Amino acid sequence: MSQSGTTLILIMAIAVLAPLLAYGVGRRLPVPLVIFEIVLGILIGPDVLGWAHTDALIDGLSELGLAMLIFLAGYEIEFGKVRGDTLKRSVWAWVIALALGLGAGVLLADGFHEGVFIGVALTSTALGTVLPVLRDAGELHGRFGSVVMAFGAVGEFGPIIAMALLLSGRSPGQSTALLAVFAALTAAAVFWALRPRPPWFSRVIAKTLHTSGQFAVRFVFLLLALMLGASQALGLDVLLGAFAAGLITRLVLTGAAPESGPAVLEKVEAVGFGFLVPVFFVVTGIEFDLDSLLDGGRTLVLLPVFLLLFLVVRGGPVLLLAPRDLGRTDRGALVLYSSTALPLVVAITTIGVDDKAMTAGEAAALVGAGMVSVLAFPLLALRLRAGAGRKVPPRESITESESW
């Protein structure tokens, strides 16, 4: 059997094993599914057992998984909950975090370009990891959940825009112009998405939803391909196209097929979370530079430094600009949720290593810090609110509804 075949079998075996481990461990301690996928990827990778190695095929599937991950992140954002004064505060909190992150990144890095990668990664929020916790706590649709949604949404969208502007290798003016063109294309797509669809559109969706036709699912992937193609044609990062495709897809399905929308999303998530996204995270583990981390020195020191910077860079401005109606406990929990970061950290460091702007050791330290934040920060936030008399969900339910 070829190396690609062996590695793919091992990746899918981990994709099956990881939910079982998450469920079993979750009875005692909620551990996000992505942690098991990355750790098991490290285990089968070159630095430990040496069973799995990446090649063009595996890397291609991993890139598709990354695009799908960002697409689903875009789909998760509910515009009705992200608006008004809370939205303004969340935007300004992220802008301040970007300034702090860039400053910290440049100080820690060997060059400006590398510092930008680090700085942007420090401003991200793992909204997809936080949402299931809030949902199981029954707080997703309350005031606190809406605030977390707003700050988390900006913490996902902001870094993607920053990557397009700062990490493209072009001048700021040229990047801004191309981004404006892409924004115009996206706005046109949003305008089209908001227009009433002809009656046959929703009928075809409903009629083929449980047949081999799967019109809606194919239509969603067409939208994703079109937005990926548009971003690539303009020389922008494909993550921007994937994120925009997620936003547009929500608008299309909400307007054209509100009754079938949830079922369509389930099918798209099945492709994403059932196949492509696990491939991306397991490959991240396979390519994780464990040797650099275990050798000590600068890489090992950077891990706790990055973890602290997640709280300072991302959490500090959130604490400063949190809505005034939130109490001290809620502000502290908001800081912890907003400082939880991993998926975009993995995406940014992957691009940084591929562009040779970051070393594998620095990427390992950032990803390691992100893994610790995903393990610790949401749990601490739950305990903090529980101490103030808020309801804490059962441990099993947190892991069972794990997204990414």
Side-chain angles (χ1 to χ4, degrees):
M1 183 180 293
S2 66
Q3 182 63 54
S4 295
T6 302
T7 298
L8 186 57
I9 290 173
L10 289 170
I11 289 173
M12 297 318 300
I14 288 175
V16 172
L17 180 60
L20 298 177
L21 293 174
Y23 176 79
V25 175
R27 300 187 178 201
R28 299 180 179 275
L29 181 69
V31 179
L33 181 62
V34 60
I35 298 295
F36 291 101
E37 292 169 345
I38 294 177
V39 170
L40 291 174
I42 294 172
L43 181 64
I44 66 171
D47 288 350
V48 184
L49 297 176
W51 294 348
H53 302 273
T54 58
D55 56 18
L57 173 61
I58 300 300
D59 284 340
L61 290 173
S62 178
E63 290 175 5
L64 284 175
L66 174 58
M68 197 66 188
L69 179 70
I70 303 303
F71 168 85
L72 292 169
Y75 190 95
E76 284 176 339
I77 296 179
E78 299 180 39
F79 286 99
K81 296 182 178 181
V82 184
R83 58 186 178 183
D85 180 67
T86 301
L87 176 59
K88 294 178 183 177
R89 289 175 175 272
S90 61
V91 170
W92 277 111
W94 184 82
V95 170
I96 295 172
L98 179 62
L100 294 174
L102 292 176
V106 170
L107 288 175
L108 289 172
D110 294 330
F112 176 78
H113 193 49
E114 178 185 352
V116 172
F117 276 95
I118 294 174
V120 173
L122 291 174
T123 68
S124 66
T125 296
L127 183 60
T129 300
V130 169
L131 288 184
V133 178
L134 292 173
R135 186 182 298 115
D136 290 330
E139 295 178 336
L140 183 58
H141 301 291
R143 169 60 176 161
F144 179 74
S146 298
V147 173
V148 175
M149 172 74 77
F151 279 83
V154 175
E156 287 196 328
F157 187 64
I160 293 175
I161 296 295
M163 289 170 66
L165 286 172
L166 302 175
L167 303 178
S168 64
R170 291 182 293 266
S171 67
Q174 188 179 10
S175 297
T176 302
L178 291 173
L179 189 61
V181 173
F182 182 81
L185 292 174
T186 303
V190 168
F191 175 76
W192 170 82
L194 292 174
R195 293 185 63 189
R197 304 266 72 77
W200 64 263
F201 190 84
S202 58
R203 286 200 300 268
V204 173
I205 287 178
K207 189 172 182 179
T208 63
L209 189 58
H210 301 291
T211 70
S212 59
Q214 297 291 330
F215 169 76
V217 176
R218 299 182 186 197
F219 182 77
V220 167
F221 282 107
L222 174 61
L223 283 178
L224 175 59
L226 287 172
M227 297 309 295
L228 290 177
S231 60
Q232 192 170 35
L234 292 171
L236 299 171
D237 196 282
V238 292
L239 299 188
L240 186 61
F243 197 85
L247 298 176
I248 295 167
T249 298
R250 171 179 279 276
L251 295 175
V252 171
L253 293 181
T254 301
E259 295 180 356
S260 302
V264 174
L265 177 62
E266 286 180 3
K267 292 175 177 291
V268 175
E269 284 184 331
V271 176
F273 293 133
F275 175 47
L276 293 173
V277 174
V279 170
F280 169 67
F281 282 122
V282 176
V283 169
T284 297
I286 293 173
E287 296 179 342
F288 189 88
D289 192 354
L290 184 63
D291 284 345
S292 295
L293 200 61
L294 296 181
D295 284 345
R298 185 172 183 269
T299 300
L300 186 59
V301 172
L302 281 177
L303 193 153
V305 171
F306 285 142
L307 183 64
L308 178 62
L309 284 175
F310 282 137
L311 285 171
V312 174
V313 169
R314 182 71 180 114
V318 169
L319 181 63
L320 179 66
L321 292 171
R324 296 177 181 177
D325 60 315
L326 295 186
R328 181 179 300 177
T329 299
D330 287 346
R331 284 171 174 258
L334 177 63
V335 166
L336 289 167
Y337 282 131
S338 299
S339 303
T340 302
L342 183 59
L344 277 180
V345 171
V346 174
I348 292 169
T349 55
T350 298
I351 295 171
V353 172
D354 289 342
D355 291 349
K356 295 182 172 51
M358 295 183 68
T359 66
E362 289 164 337
L366 256 175
V367 172
M371 291 170 66
V372 175
S373 77
V374 165
L375 278 170
F377 292 169
L379 185 61
L380 290 174
L382 284 173
R383 298 306 176 205
L384 185 63
R385 286 175 59 77
R390 271 76 172 186
K391 180 182 177 181
V392 178
R395 285 174 174 171
E396 291 182 16
S397 65
I398 295 175
T399 303
E400 287 174 1
S401 65
E402 176 65 37
S403 175
W404 52 275

